[in-house]
Amino acid sequence: MLEQVKVNYLWWQTGVIYQIYPRSFKDTTNNGVGDLNGIIEKLDYLSETLGVDCLWLSPFYPSPQVDFGYDVADFTNVDPLFGTLADFDRLVQASHQRGLKLIIDFVPNHSSDQHPWFIESRSSKDNPKRDWYIWKDAKPDGSVPNNWLSVFGGPAWTWEEETGQYYLHSFLKEQPDLNWRNPEVEAAMFDAMRFWLDRGIDGFRIDVAHFIMKDPDFRDNPIENKPMHRPMGEYTSQDHIHDIGHEDIHEAFRKIRRLLNEYSQTSERMCVAEIHEFNLEKWASYYGDNLDELHMPFNFLTLTKPWKAYAIRDVVESLENVLPEGAWPNYVLGNHDENRIVSRYGKAQARVAAMLLLTLRGTPTLYYGDEIGMPSAEFAQSLDPWGQNLEEAGRDGCRTPMQWDAGPNAGFTEESVTPWLPISNDVHVNDQVSEPASMLRLYQRLLAFRKTASALQWGSYQTVGNVPEDCFAYLRETENQRILVLLSFSDEQQNLHLESLGTGHLLLSTHLNKDHNVDLADITLRPHEGLLIELG
Ligand code: NOJ
């Protein structure tokens, strides 16, 4: 019976995604930068010690690394910094042997300015690749074609003296935007996707996916103050209705889905896309009217909220309400662009956050190092180009090397080598594996429960009311199992009276040190404690 129900759910729905930032995972060549063989070396850690289901690799393509790999100079190869195509093939095979799925970052909106396509495009106005990028004449007074801004600061247009036109770059000037309205570009990018699908990957994380369709008339964005969850300077002074997410994006997403569907005939492939859209109806529209667009647009809403029970509950309920029938939710608490969880919420709170992320309805995405509670490092100077343009800190802090052990360079690279970013502090995998109440042990337990608990994998979600205001409680339920999740957001003890739910036994406390008896009529949550309770 249980099996019969389960067959309806796909690996990317029941599984947990783990993001690896290859530069920072494990260096096997002693150049201070992580590599593909380093990831292969750590696959047993990922599949057995930790117990995640799918790896997402940030870019490893040939790149001048101006934006640390998000400036791609060849969409169908591996940068020698990270290894070779043969290493990549071994990684796919070794992951699959362990039952791990592998998805890779795909960066469709822009290439590096060193990509041969752009080198050709900029060479002359009549080059066949001219229209592969977005070139525009200056206004009569010589100024930029419109008011669009680069996410990384300054105008989105750079003047090219040689050919007397501006080109568009939504990010750095070294990252010119591709022109997806040119069918040749679309075909070339689809070929690149096929290249990796043919090598056996299980799908893509699509970088700034909705940026690829812009207003064909290049109208100015309206001026309006639109603060984001992180400081973004002048970029937040506009309503970005024309430079991103033109309605033609839906057709582009349908095409991507059709391509993935072709490959899913043999094994299910998926895409999850980076879309920072906080208008929830609009965000939900990217699943497609007939669920024929993205498998999942990343849900970043939690990142924009304070660590308060009401705020997090509101995120979950709003999402549950807005999701189209059959659309699969997902949650993100960290990635290579964000302040780390421990630094954002606090150490004690991060344990409750782990329970939240791994027990909500939908696919969780974990970010390497969060499972050992790595904090964001602070640096006086920024390597991250965004950090160089902003007054605020850049993104280096959340990208420091993974800390494997207490040895030199935390086991990331050899002692004599200088890692590309300094090791951030003294939390380590090896210590935490044997510490009974470590963060890693908590993640292991949560992941292990999730693997066996139908209610956590695909059960329904229901908020439980009648709890103190600093608590968030919910039920996950299948025909065969009911799990109650109780989370405290307070540094004071909380008392809950939930006798109406019947009886239950404790599966797990985030403190990892509670006995197994729990009386639903009188539950005590210690400060910043989360409990997982199976109802009888
Ligand atoms: C979004 C990525 O997450 C970020 O790291 C990158 O800098 C920009 N896209 C530009 O590609």
Side-chain angles (χ1 to χ4, degrees):
M1 175 67 190
L2 205 93
E3 276 312 301
Q4 236 174 20
V5 180
K6 186 169 164 51
V7 287
N8 295 329
Y9 293 90
L10 301 165
W11 63 262
W12 53 269
Q13 297 176 308
T14 55
V16 174
I17 302 174
Y18 182 94
Q19 180 188 0
I20 294 177
Y21 196 66
R23 293 184 69 87
S24 294
F25 205 56
K26 170 74 188 165
D27 175 19
T28 61
T29 55
N30 299 325
N31 62 357
V33 174
D35 45 62
L36 298 183
N37 283 326
I39 300 172
I40 295 176
E41 212 174 89
K42 296 297 181 185
L43 286 178
D44 287 337
Y45 165 74
L46 295 163
S47 64
E48 282 168 34
T49 311
L50 185 58
V52 293
D53 306 285
C54 171
L55 310 180
W56 147 30
L57 306 189
S58 285
F60 49 78
Y61 307 104
S63 161
Q65 304 286 322
V66 182
D67 188 20
F68 297 111
Y70 283 94
D71 46 326
V72 179
D74 180 351
F75 290 102
T76 55
N77 214 334
V78 173
D79 195 301
L81 193 60
F82 299 115
T84 62
L85 269 177
D87 295 334
F88 183 82
D89 291 342
R90 285 197 307 118
L91 174 59
V92 174
Q93 207 193 10
S95 303
H96 286 170
Q97 267 165 5
R98 289 166 176 80
L100 287 168
K101 302 287 182 182
L102 186 74
I103 67 175
I104 64 173
D105 228 298
F106 184 62
V107 189
N109 179 65
H110 44 269
S111 73
S112 158
D113 63 348
Q114 299 307 307
H115 195 295
W117 298 342
F118 189 69
I119 293 176
E120 276 197 51
S121 182
R122 80 193 319 179
S123 66
S124 75
K125 265 175 143 168
D126 52 13
N127 184 279
K129 294 239 165 23
R130 183 66 169 183
D131 185 50
W132 281 42
Y133 293 83
I134 299 170
W135 295 93
K136 290 274 168 227
D137 291 335
K139 283 191 177 152
D141 65 357
S143 63
V144 288
N146 64 19
N147 72 353
W148 296 359
L149 295 170
S150 153
V151 175
F152 287 164
W157 299 98
T158 286
W159 177 251
E160 184 89 336
E161 195 58 53
E162 290 72 14
T163 54
Q165 281 191 311
Y166 283 99
Y167 69 88
L168 181 71
H169 52 90
S170 299
F171 293 88
L172 299 172
K173 68 176 177 12
E174 293 85 354
Q175 293 169 298
D177 282 27
L178 283 154
N179 177 14
W180 271 76
R181 293 189 182 275
N182 180 330
E184 288 177 15
V185 170
E186 184 190 276
M189 294 306 273
F190 285 175
D191 282 350
M193 293 178 101
R194 287 180 190 283
F195 175 88
W196 296 106
L197 290 163
D198 288 336
R199 295 193 107 84
I201 59 148
D202 300 289
F204 298 99
R205 174 267 187 189
I206 306 183
D207 191 67
V208 289
H210 60 329
F211 275 56
I212 64 175
M213 278 298 158
K214 309 156 207 308
D215 177 26
D217 298 324
F218 291 85
R219 282 170 286 178
D220 279 349
N221 285 322
I223 302 297
E224 196 181 321
N225 194 23
K226 287 260 173 184
M228 297 283 282
H229 67 288
R230 55 177 301 150
M232 292 180 67
E234 201 193 348
Y235 192 75
T236 54
S237 68
Q238 296 185 357
D239 190 5
H240 293 273
I241 56 170
H242 292 314
D243 52 351
I244 59 180
H246 183 270
E247 60 186 19
D248 292 344
I249 193 65
H250 293 288
E251 183 52 19
F253 286 165
R254 280 192 287 273
K255 286 183 183 166
I256 291 177
R257 181 60 172 262
R258 286 201 287 273
L259 192 156
L260 289 166
N261 286 350
E262 270 175 46
Y263 282 84
S264 294
Q265 305 294 324
T266 46
S267 72
E268 171 72 9
R269 318 294 172 104
M270 62 81 88
C271 70
V272 55
E274 183 197 21
I275 297 193
H276 288 274
E277 171 57 71
F278 300 112
N279 170 331
L280 278 187
E281 276 79 27
K282 194 153 185 213
W283 171 83
S285 76
Y286 295 127
Y287 284 95
D289 285 344
N290 302 307
L291 298 186
D292 53 356
E293 296 185 29
L294 304 172
H295 293 77
M296 296 185 290
F298 266 136
N299 160 26
F300 297 123
L301 201 55
T302 321
L303 296 170
T304 67
K305 304 289 176 185
W307 186 248
K308 295 277 183 210
Y310 75 86
I312 302 298
R313 188 181 57 235
D314 187 52
V315 166
V316 178
E317 290 178 347
S318 324
L319 201 84
E320 287 287 338
N321 287 336
V322 83
L323 276 172
E325 174 93 35
W328 193 254
N330 75 91
Y331 290 89
V332 172
L333 291 184
N335 62 34
H336 64 293
D337 295 326
E338 304 293 337
N339 198 9
R340 282 204 179 260
I341 299 177
V342 163
S343 307
R344 190 167 356 119
Y345 299 146
K347 240 177 170 173
Q349 291 85 338
R351 298 177 76 99
V352 180
M355 183 171 273
L356 171 82
L357 184 61
L358 290 167
T359 60
L360 282 171
R361 190 173 85 87
T363 306
T365 301
L366 310 183
Y367 181 51
Y368 86 93
D370 281 346
E371 76 272 29
I372 52 169
M374 275 172 62
S376 284
E378 283 176 25
F379 296 112
Q381 276 189 336
S382 185
L383 293 185
D384 171 23
W386 198 1
Q388 290 164 13
N389 293 349
L390 280 178
E391 277 167 35
E392 310 295 322
R395 299 166 295 176
D396 298 336
C398 64
R399 297 174 174 180
T400 58
M402 180 67 172
Q403 295 165 195
W404 297 104
D405 59 48
N409 281 327
F412 165 70
T413 188
E414 292 214 334
E415 187 171 10
S416 57
V417 176
T418 307
W420 78 282
L421 280 174
I423 306 298
S424 117
N425 76 343
D426 59 358
V427 295
H428 303 117
V429 171
N430 274 11
D431 300 343
Q432 293 199 13
V433 167
S434 49
E435 261 171 47
S438 68
M439 181 72 108
L440 181 57
R441 289 292 273 267
L442 173 62
Y443 269 91
Q444 287 175 317
R445 297 283 298 278
L446 284 165
L447 285 158
F449 271 125
R450 213 190 139 88
K451 264 200 174 62
T452 55
S454 60
L456 294 185
Q457 288 194 8
W458 66 85
S460 60
Y461 167 89
Q462 199 192 326
T463 303
V464 174
N466 195 25
V467 296
E469 64 167 356
D470 284 335
C471 295
F472 176 28
Y474 47 93
L475 265 180
R476 301 290 319 280
E477 194 168 346
T478 54
E479 257 177 60
N480 308 299
Q481 194 176 40
R482 290 170 82 212
I483 291 182
L484 172 65
V485 185
L486 304 177
L487 307 174
S488 165
F489 289 65
S490 168
D491 49 17
E492 284 169 15
Q493 179 178 306
Q494 304 288 310
N495 299 307
L496 289 78
H497 310 288
L498 297 171
E499 55 278 2
S500 59
L501 295 176
T503 57
H505 73 274
L506 183 72
L507 296 172
L508 187 68
S509 152
T510 50
H511 290 21
L512 297 182
N513 62 359
K514 209 179 187 108
D515 71 32
H516 283 247
N517 299 319
V518 62
D519 174 7
L520 290 188
D522 191 11
I523 309 167
T524 303
L525 287 184
R526 290 170 286 178
H528 302 294
E529 182 173 35
L531 298 181
L532 211 59
I533 295 168
E534 179 148 21
L535 297 181

